[in-house]
Amino acid sequence: MTQPPHDEPTASSPEELREQVEQTRNELGDTVEALAAKTDVKARAQQKAAQAREQAGVKAGQLKTKAADLAHQAQDKLPDPVKDKAAQAAEQARTKTAQATQLWHDKAPEPVQNKTARGAELARDNRNLLLAAAGVAAVVWLACRRKG
């Protein structure tokens, strides 16, 4: 058998020896779990992706709030005639949108309506992915444009 380490006392009774063995087993189990977690590349990648998604969501929320604040500040600085024209334009846009939506529901075939509704639902469900893809596409487009 091997000799015990110098910093640990030897057990004086079989019960103490059993307790030491159990404690050593627990420590060894914890060490093995920690090493297994470090070698699980897929789980670590998923964890990093989840953290990145969370950070992107937080940043998007911050940017949305900041953009809304800046829009309100800019709107407050506008003269009243411009504010009135902007309000009229917004109302006209809402009216035209409602008319276009009604026309779409009246004229488009039902299968086309169902497919477009499903596409819109997928876009809403994967908004962050779509935004990231659009950002990547814009960067690639700009990079290609500069080279050309």
Side-chain angles (χ1 to χ4, degrees), residues 49-63 128 131-132:
Q51 288 174 345
R53 276 193 304 273
E54 184 179 331
Q55 288 174 349
V58 167
K59 190 66 172 175
Q62 291 172 347
L63 290 174
N128 291 340
L131 290 173

Side-chain angles (χ1 to χ4, degrees), residues 43-53:
R44 290 177 69 192
Q46 288 174 342
Q47 185 180 24
K48 292 247 186 212
Q51 288 174 345
R53 276 193 304 273

Side-chain angles (χ1 to χ4, degrees), residues 132-142:
V136 168
V139 168
V140 168
W141 177 74
L142 287 172

Side-chain angles (χ1 to χ4, degrees), residues 6 9 32 43 99 117 120 132 143:
H6 296 293
V32 168
Q99 290 172 350

